[in-house]
Amino acid sequence: MKFGDMQQNPRHLINGRWEIGTTTGVSTNPSDTREVVAEYARADRNQTELAVRAAADALPSWSQSNPQRRADVLDMIGSELLARKEALGTLLAREEGKTLPEAIAEVARSGQIFKFFAGEALRIQGELMASVRQGVQVDVTREPVGVVGIIAPWNFPFAIPAWKIAPALAYGNTVVFKPAELVPACGWALAEIISRSGLPAGAFNLVMGSGREVGQTLVDHPLVNALSFTGSVATGDRILRSASARRAKVQLEMGGKNPLIVLADADLEQAVDCALQGSYFSTGQRCTASSRLIVEARVHDAFVARLRERLTALKVGNALERGIEMGPVVDSTQLDQNLSYVDIARTEGAEHVWGGERMERATPGHYMSPALFLARPEHRIAREEIFGPVACVLRADDYDHALSLANDTPYGLCAGICTTSLKHAMHFKRHAAVGMTMVNLPTAGVDFHVAFGGRKESSYGAREQGRYAAEFYTTVKTGYMLA
């Protein structure tokens, strides 16, 4: 398939066939809103029902397939993603607004994820052990959980679906995948590759459309055995209440308000780099973004001055242009929300350091300058997830105060520290109330082969990625046999 073909109208994949929708939607380029990226089919409840039933019908065949077949399928998908990373990355940059280098790297990461789980398909382990009863043998095995509904966000339209779909298929489950409506072309491009990988009809299905119809049908359907969702806390809470009422397995990733502590002994240039990358790259549209920069008093002013200097030089513009460091916000709704938080910060008395304005560029788009404020812990800008290029600095008296501020949040996804003290680094790794810690690294940026997830309101259920994915995508069976 050529790159130009990716501009054709994306359709649903149901039971191995490409289907039109009951209505159509449009995705546009946030770097140039005059450009329509895709006119896509939108499914209704009936089409979603057909996709679920197709997945249920395909489950006996795929769940009992041999591991080598699963490995070959996933490896083929990964190889094609890697081979076409430039073209697919260009599509991603056009539809979501991520800078082209970031977009290409994301597609490459998604290919690596599929290849990793190709290997995991061959490494599904069990246990054989002695019973407490004479002459009885006990074994513990892992089996597929069943039909998996996957509801993915717009901010990583290749990588996040990859780290959900790949383990689901590797462990023998069948899938119904709903991408976010802002990125249908990316979801379709991934599905088109998967459709040619050798899966039986119905083992993987794509349905595009609203959360109200497609998403809720997946959540409520009695044939959907497990649901993996990444998105807002409010939506995650609704999914948990609905799905758990019928005893479905649920996995939720719901965001963060991630702190980056900068101690007085830190390499200040390194700390500024960590803050810049973690807070503003990918336009701050990452659940792992550093939105709270907690800086020890002795270096507070110097850190703020250096970060402000870097922000003034940050190149904001069309995601496809060479040298751009920060692309546009994904759409007008998100941009308006970001700007409203800038106004809230000013109203509540946070000190404005830089940015937070709507920007004009050669092409009409959803551009804003990266915003930085000096805040207090009670300010909303320091407590609520904004999901944009907006960060605040909190002053800390010392390490203990900084750690207390870092943990003072209902979220618990990721936390970072910049320090040259081994003592403080080790203490921080143990006592930060999060699922992931970073030392002298940006909070945003994780490996694909290890566990991903958090605590408190950030996550619910088993971890994603790596071998820990087996906890969600399989169920454990204990068997007894008289020897």
Side-chain angles (χ1 to χ4, degrees):
M1 185 181 67
K2 298 178 182 178
F3 169 65
D5 295 334
M6 289 189 284
Q7 291 182 294
Q8 295 179 356
N9 297 348
R11 295 173 292 163
H12 312 297
L13 179 65
I14 301 174
N15 201 24
R17 295 185 297 272
W18 294 104
E19 306 281 355
I20 62 172
T22 57
T23 59
T24 58
V26 173
S27 71
T28 58
N29 182 347
S31 293
D32 185 349
T33 53
R34 299 168 300 183
E35 180 191 5
V36 173
V37 178
E39 294 182 3
Y40 64 97
R42 301 177 80 244
D44 59 12
R45 294 180 186 273
N46 291 333
Q47 285 181 303
T48 309
E49 165 87 17
L50 291 174
V52 172
R53 292 194 176 277
D57 290 344
L59 183 62
S61 170
W62 183 245
S63 65
Q64 295 169 29
S65 60
N66 70 68
Q68 187 62 60
R69 183 184 179 192
R70 297 181 204 168
D72 291 343
V73 165
L74 295 173
D75 188 66
M76 184 180 298
I77 297 168
S79 293
E80 184 164 348
L81 286 165
L82 290 170
R84 295 174 52 201
K85 63 183 180 181
E86 285 82 8
L88 293 169
T90 301
L91 173 65
L92 196 167
R94 287 173 57 229
E95 190 166 55
E96 192 267 348
K98 193 167 295 183
T99 64
L100 186 57
E102 289 179 313
I104 293 172
E106 179 183 333
V107 175
R109 178 182 176 184
S110 68
Q112 291 162 344
I113 289 167
F114 273 98
K115 283 185 168 289
F116 173 84
F117 282 106
E120 288 298 282
L122 298 170
R123 291 190 288 265
I124 300 174
Q125 297 179 349
E127 298 175 276
L128 180 65
M129 61 195 73
S131 171
V132 296
R133 292 171 288 173
Q134 187 67 31
V136 175
Q137 178 179 297
V138 183
D139 61 66
V140 180
T141 56
R142 288 192 175 273
E143 297 183 356
V145 71
V147 175
V148 179
I150 291 173
I151 303 174
W154 50 261
N155 61 324
F156 284 87
F158 278 91
I160 291 179
W163 81 48
K164 296 176 185 291
I165 295 167
L169 295 176
Y171 296 118
N173 303 283
T174 55
V175 170
V176 181
F177 166 46
K178 177 197 148 6
E181 285 205 90
L182 288 174
V183 287
C186 290
W188 174 83
L190 177 59
E192 198 276 334
I193 292 172
I194 294 172
S195 74
R196 294 184 282 100
S197 64
L199 286 167
F204 172 82
N205 304 270
L206 167 73
V207 280
M208 297 171 289
S210 71
R212 185 178 59 258
E213 289 204 65
V214 177
Q216 196 62 49
T217 301
L218 293 178
V219 170
D220 294 337
H221 204 291
L223 294 179
V224 175
N225 306 106
L227 284 148
S228 182
F229 166 81
T230 298
S232 70
V233 173
T235 303
D237 285 346
R238 289 195 296 271
I239 289 173
L240 181 59
R241 286 194 297 270
S242 297
S244 61
R246 61 177 184 83
R247 306 296 188 269
K249 202 170 185 180
V250 179
Q251 178 185 64
L252 305 173
E253 291 296 339
M254 299 175 289
K257 192 67 179 173
N258 309 292
L260 175 70
I261 294 173
V262 179
L263 296 184
D265 64 6
D267 179 322
L268 206 55
E269 287 300 326
Q270 183 182 62
V272 170
D273 282 338
C274 288
L276 189 74
Q277 292 181 42
S279 302
Y280 301 104
F281 282 22
S282 294
T283 321
Q285 296 173 152
R286 300 185 282 197
C287 57
T288 53
S290 312
S291 52
R292 294 185 297 143
L293 308 173
I294 302 170
V295 185
E296 194 170 357
R298 285 183 290 164
V299 292
H300 176 277
D301 293 351
F303 173 86
V304 171
R306 293 193 190 192
L307 181 55
R308 183 185 186 280
E309 182 181 356
R310 294 289 298 276
L311 290 177
T312 62
L314 194 70
K315 296 179 180 178
V316 180
N318 191 306
L320 295 174
E321 290 181 10
R322 185 183 298 273
I324 293 299
E325 296 171 286
M326 194 180 92
V329 175
V330 69
D331 71 349
S332 60
T333 300
Q334 187 65 49
L335 177 59
D336 289 343
Q337 177 177 298
N338 296 348
L339 296 176
S340 73
Y341 270 102
V342 170
D343 291 339
I344 289 168
R346 293 177 184 271
T347 300
E348 290 188 340
E351 181 180 339
H352 178 247
V353 176
W354 177 258
E357 294 91 17
R358 194 183 301 268
M359 301 178 73
E360 300 294 332
R361 288 295 181 261
T363 53
H366 309 303
Y367 301 106
M368 72 173 287
S369 55
L372 182 66
F373 284 86
L374 307 184
R376 296 191 301 274
E378 65 271 19
H379 287 155
R380 288 178 62 186
I381 196 174
R383 302 204 66 79
E384 299 176 12
E385 185 178 35
I386 301 171
F387 219 68
V390 182
C392 65
V393 179
L394 303 174
R395 186 188 296 265
D397 298 332
D398 52 23
Y399 167 73
D400 290 332
H401 185 210
L403 180 63
S404 175
L405 290 172
N407 287 335
D408 180 24
T409 172
Y411 294 100
L413 183 57
C414 189
I417 188 169
C418 293
T419 181
T420 55
S421 165
L422 180 61
K423 173 186 174 182
H424 286 143
M426 295 301 294
H427 186 274
F428 169 81
K429 290 177 67 177
R430 175 64 183 86
H431 294 280
V434 294
M436 300 178 289
T437 61
M438 303 285 185
V439 177
N440 295 322
L441 289 166
T443 58
V446 297
D447 289 357
F448 62 84
H449 66 300
V450 293
F452 178 96
R455 302 181 187 179
K456 298 188 279 188
E457 290 188 7
S458 288
S459 302
Y460 176 87
R463 291 287 190 260
E464 297 195 285
Q465 296 201 133
R467 61 185 177 87
Y468 296 91
E471 297 301 321
F472 180 72
Y473 292 101
T474 65
T475 184
V476 171
K477 178 182 283 184
T478 304
Y480 297 86
M481 185 171 66
L482 185 63

